[in-house]
Amino acid sequence: MPKSATPTHCPYCALQCGMNLTVGPDAGVEVAERADFPVNRGALCAKGRTAPALLTSRLRLTSPLVRKGGKLEPAGWDEALDRIAGALDGARHKHGPDACAVFGGGGLTNEKAYALGKFARVVLGTSQIDYNGRFCMSSAAAAGTAAFGLDRGLPFPLEDVARTGCVILVGSNPAETMPPALRYFTELRENGGTLIVVDPRRTRTAEQADLHLAPRPGTDLALALGLLHLVVAEGRTDEAYIRERTTGWEEARAAAMAHWPEYVERVTGVPVPQLREAVRLFCAPESAMVLTARGPEQQAKGTDTVGAWINLCLATGRAGRPLSGYGCLTGQGNGQGGREHGQKADQLPGYRKLTDPAARRHVAEVWGVDPDSLPGPGRSAYELLDALGTDIRTLLVMGSNPVVSAPRAAHVEERLRALDFLAVCDVVLSETAELADVVLPVTQWAEETGTTTNLEGRVLLRRQAVAPPEGVRSDLEVLHELAARLGVEKGFPADPEEVFEELRRASAGGPADYSGITYRRLAEENGVFWPCPAPERPVGAATGDSTGTGARTGGSGFSAKGTPAEVHPGTPRMFLDRFATEDGRARFVPVSHRPSAEEPDEEYPLLLTTGRVLAQYQSGAQTRRVDELNAAAPGPFVELHPRLAARLGAAEGDPVAVVSRRGRATAPARISAGIRPDTVFMPFHWPGAGRANTVTNPALDPTSRMPEFKVCAVRVEPVDRDQPGAEVAVRA
Ligand code: SF4
């Protein structure tokens, strides 16, 4: 590593790839390989490689903007902050604290997520806070908590994937979403293991699989139940494991036995021989895993769907054992940490429940407030957005672009316009910021220090490598200034390490215990897995987990040996001895297949599923402003099967409209034999005419409140190129 290089992490996805940043003589920032970080081992995708482009982009905001005479005009910081504080203060006095809402993001550092949750509950006194991470992980979190008593995306390091016997990868396309992670699946196969991919499309990841199952969108639940039925019917259950380490098997077994393979074939479209082959591959080796991502999770039955895959793991003894388990591949950069420290509507820092009196007492003591002053749980993300302009009059958005990323996006845009006041903190003028009354320009990854928690539960230190441009302040400074203007002078430091020190205390003893983690440890140890209780707490006391270190599992590379007794080594592997439930056993949850919220009919005979492409990230607010990425992925498209294209008379590149009950999105046709003929696919990174989320369904999962992004009924229509509104590609 050159002397001047700063080791840090990518600003984008949950892999949080390590990288070195160097500043050249012309102040340009260059990305270099950082081979010492074990997760990506130096590899980066195009998004990570080009991330510095946004630091100096001409589209970067460097001055606050205040709406005057209907237009956003540059303004001073004091004027902008005064406007926001005045609007929040006015709304809470006129309508009560819940008239103020806060919407955060899964890309915010742990420190920002923590400070934002505290700001909402202590300064504003509002219950109305949630974040876009709800759209990312909530179904997996709900199902994981129900089964294991605790949710951590992966309860083991990614390196275990390469050494297990079989992986079923459900609704995930790491070849495009997090390419450096693909090597673990390649190594799995090189080591003699097998990969089964479940996806309605033959993605680049599915192409590498030993077996590709392509179910109809919205039927992964039936598929998992069908596999469990076969496991039972073929006598492949692990009875000793079920007896000793689980509860609730009989009910779950009975529910699965109602899903006969032939019925499952009819529902999913996956032939029975493929179901049998999947069971054979999954059950043959000593160890195996199921990993889910947004495919099964972003459904109105996402929690049950993930629960069904967990049941399959439990029935075969593939959870809480070395190289075996269920895991969720979290999407956003700090999707994991963002859900642990208080910006979620129902949570307090340390993954504590807002409804738990002991949790309220603990956190209130750290915050120096009366526990009774803390509001209760508020609305989930979509419900909050849906209520804008009704009882919610004022909104502060930090690190999110719901105009593009929320379901039924045209409606969400309308609700944002109905607010009395909207403030947005962002690095660029996102589509949501364009609607704001005040926009604050804030620092980004390489310009600030903070921690994130990657998809493995590994807490990481992102270090500042460059000074921010003049005129830009950090989100923590913004919260400090707003709190002071709203009468809270103390408790909102702008220094991230000071915030982290408080977060450590607030999380102590909670499920996600960070109290034993310090910035110094993070710098020296290249990340620490939570739970990691502080020295004064007995090791392993945080959650009742197994604290499964390498010493226990035999050569994982994570050994507690040599670690001073008073320092907790962190928890790379969880649940090896017991699960985090009261009795230490995992819980089967009986689930049954049910139709999607919207099934095809005569008017809308097809299914739309949405996702990401390699060169863009989430709402595209950042990546659409990077020339190299825009050149690689300049706009949306509609992927459709050749038979469907022929029926429509559409050739490659012809504009087509995808129409649902909520609206229409127009984009060029991309014809592929790799997609089911009854399904169309759109990436969701773009605004305007090609905005996929104009079409998606906000039907919510009853437990996780996850919207049904992944399946809705649509029809596809050819569009005359000369027709108004036929624009097919939208650039930033
Ligand atoms: Fe960044 Fe994710 Fe790409 Fe790694 S895989 S470089 S974390 S976007």
Side-chain angles (χ1 to χ4, degrees):
M1 181 173 76
K3 268 203 178 117
S4 59
T6 305
T8 190
H9 297 272
C10 175
Y12 297 119
C13 84
L15 207 55
Q16 285 296 282
C17 292
M19 56 172 63
N20 284 319
L21 294 183
T22 49
V23 184
D26 57 351
V29 177
E30 283 180 15
V31 171
E33 184 176 303
R34 182 182 166 194
D36 70 320
F37 186 64
V39 178
N40 61 310
R41 298 180 227 159
L44 294 169
C45 78
K47 296 184 286 284
R49 255 192 313 99
T50 58
L54 199 61
L55 295 169
T56 51
S57 166
R58 64 184 166 78
L59 299 167
R60 182 78 191 275
L61 293 174
T62 54
S63 165
L65 302 173
V66 171
R67 193 167 292 279
K68 293 174 184 167
K71 282 178 65 180
L72 283 170
E73 305 278 3
W77 270 94
D78 280 337
E79 181 187 353
L81 289 164
D82 287 347
R83 280 280 295 270
I84 298 172
L88 291 166
D89 200 35
R92 69 178 173 174
H93 279 108
K94 192 169 173 193
H95 305 287
D98 277 359
C100 301
V102 174
F103 200 81
L108 298 178
T109 60
N110 291 320
E111 291 79 357
K112 294 179 186 180
Y114 173 84
L116 193 62
K118 182 179 175 185
F119 177 82
R121 293 173 179 121
V122 172
V123 178
L124 300 177
T126 181
S127 66
Q128 301 301 304
I129 173 169
D130 211 52
Y131 76 126
N132 63 21
R134 171 82 63 174
F135 301 155
C136 172
M137 41 43 71
S138 53
S139 294
T145 304
F148 307 128
L150 180 64
D151 147 61
R152 192 182 84 183
L154 295 181
F156 40 74
L158 257 179
E159 64 180 34
D160 285 6
V161 168
R163 298 189 295 128
T164 188
C166 176
V167 174
I168 305 183
L169 188 59
V170 192
S172 175
N173 183 13
E176 299 222 34
T177 56
M178 46 178 70
L182 200 64
R183 68 168 55 183
Y184 293 102
F185 299 97
T186 309
E187 287 171 16
L188 161 76
R189 298 188 67 227
E190 286 168 357
N191 292 338
T194 51
L195 175 64
I196 302 171
V197 170
V198 178
D199 198 307
R201 303 163 63 218
R202 190 164 179 81
T203 60
R204 290 185 205 174
T205 308
E207 277 169 7
Q208 303 195 21
D210 297 279
L211 178 64
H212 172 210
L213 309 180
R216 193 171 160 270
T219 64
D220 325 59
L221 175 51
L223 181 69
L225 286 160
L227 297 182
L228 183 52
H229 179 113
L230 283 170
V231 163
V232 175
E234 295 177 6
R236 294 179 185 267
T237 52
D238 185 335
E239 294 298 326
Y241 174 93
I242 292 171
R243 204 169 42 247
E244 287 157 22
R245 298 209 55 189
T246 70
T247 58
W249 169 231
E250 281 312 314
E251 293 84 349
R253 178 184 181 281
M257 294 318 283
H259 295 73
W260 288 89
E262 294 73 18
Y263 164 74
V264 170
E265 177 178 318
R266 274 203 309 281
V267 171
T268 64
V270 177
V272 172
Q274 285 191 7
L275 299 175
R276 291 193 190 282
E277 177 64 358
V279 167
R280 189 186 69 76
L281 292 176
F282 186 67
C283 294
E286 263 183 37
S287 56
M289 296 174 177
V290 172
L291 305 178
T292 67
R294 304 303 82 73
E297 298 166 16
Q298 288 182 325
Q299 297 184 32
K301 52 178 182 288
T303 305
D304 283 359
T305 303
V306 174
W309 289 105
I310 291 175
N311 287 350
L312 180 68
C313 289
L314 294 178
T316 51
R318 271 85 157 80
R321 279 179 164 171
L323 303 178
S324 283
Y326 161 77
C328 151
L329 295 170
T330 307
Q332 293 195 83
N334 196 28
Q336 181 67 48
R339 76 213 210 204
E340 297 163 2
H341 296 300
Q343 62 177 331
K344 195 157 172 262
D346 54 353
Q347 279 174 359
L348 287 170
Y351 226 152
R352 289 182 155 94
K353 285 197 173 80
L354 197 44
T355 48
D356 174 1
R360 293 170 70 88
R361 275 198 303 278
H362 173 86
V363 175
E365 192 183 332
V366 174
W367 288 352
V369 299
D370 179 351
D372 292 338
S373 71
L374 297 176
R379 294 178 171 100
S380 73
Y382 179 75
E383 291 166 296
L384 187 153
L385 295 170
D386 190 35
L388 301 179
T390 59
D391 54 314
I392 297 174
R393 307 305 316 170
T394 300
L395 178 69
L396 172 65
V397 177
M398 200 169 264
S400 188
N401 187 16
V403 166
V404 179
S405 62
R408 197 188 173 196
H411 173 72
V412 167
E413 192 175 334
E414 198 179 281
R415 298 321 312 156
L416 285 160
R417 290 182 195 278
L419 284 163
D420 295 340
F421 187 88
L422 171 64
V424 175
C425 303
D426 212 325
V427 297
V428 293
L429 194 64
S430 70
E431 290 71 23
T432 304
E434 280 176 18
L435 305 180
D437 297 283
V438 176
V439 183
L440 298 180
V442 289
T443 50
Q444 50 176 319
W445 61 293
E447 298 160 355
E448 57 188 18
T449 293
T451 62
T452 59
T453 306
N454 83 346
L455 76 176
E456 309 164 288
R458 191 190 304 246
V459 186
L460 306 162
L461 186 63
R462 266 199 209 152
R463 275 174 274 209
Q464 182 178 5
V466 291
E470 209 174 314
V472 168
R473 297 188 187 179
S474 76
D475 292 297
L476 291 178
E477 284 176 274
V478 167
L479 293 175
H480 171 84
E481 292 289 338
L482 288 177
R485 280 168 170 78
L486 290 163
V488 182
E489 300 282 348
K490 288 190 177 159
F492 289 89
D495 173 38
E497 189 169 3
E498 226 181 296
V499 177
F500 189 78
E501 287 301 305
E502 187 182 303
L503 181 157
R504 290 177 61 201
R505 294 200 304 281
S507 75
D513 191 334
Y514 282 37
S515 59
I517 304 174
T518 61
Y519 269 29
R520 185 171 170 180
R521 279 193 71 180
L522 293 177
E524 289 176 357
E525 297 176 32
N526 234 341
V528 177
F529 290 84
W530 71 258
C532 181
E536 63 270 20
R537 296 184 58 74
V539 169
T543 62
D545 69 274
S546 65
T547 60
T549 63
R552 281 193 175 151
T553 56
S556 71
F558 293 91
S559 170
K561 270 189 188 167
T563 305
E566 70 275 15
V567 175
H568 192 290
T571 313
R573 297 176 179 81
M574 306 175 83
F575 312 137
L576 292 178
D577 297 331
R578 67 192 311 274
F579 294 97
T581 53
E582 268 182 26
D583 61 4
R585 291 163 180 252
R587 295 180 289 237
F588 281 99
V589 177
V591 293
S592 293
H593 171 69
R594 58 182 185 274
S596 298
E598 227 178 39
E599 289 287 335
D601 56 20
E602 264 184 35
E603 202 178 350
Y604 302 100
L606 299 165
L607 292 168
L608 169 71
T609 192
T610 62
R612 287 163 49 190
V613 297
L614 175 61
Q616 298 288 354
Y617 179 69
Q618 305 295 54
S619 82
Q622 296 142 294
T623 49
R624 281 187 279 113
R625 289 163 173 89
V626 175
D627 290 342
E628 187 180 327
L629 299 178
N630 254 345
F637 58 87
V638 180
E639 186 176 297
L640 65 173
H641 192 272
R643 288 214 296 274
L644 177 58
R647 270 211 323 270
L648 294 168
E652 180 80 11
D654 281 354
V656 293
V658 177
V659 186
S660 77
R661 290 178 175 85
R662 291 153 295 280
R664 67 193 274 134
T666 309
R670 185 175 290 182
I671 299 171
S672 165
I675 191 166
R676 294 173 55 95
D678 57 4
T679 302
V680 293
F681 168 84
M682 283 190 82
F684 64 86
H685 310 289
W686 290 271
R691 180 173 62 185
N693 275 320
T694 300
V695 181
T696 51
N697 189 353
L700 298 179
D701 179 285
T703 306
S704 67
R705 318 306 286 164
M706 168 71 86
E708 189 145 85
F709 288 100
K710 278 293 183 276
V711 51
C712 70
V714 297
R715 65 172 179 270
V716 179
E717 298 171 347
V719 173
D720 184 342
R721 278 182 192 273
D722 302 326
Q723 187 181 308
E727 59 264 55
V728 291
V730 184
R731 282 177 183 251

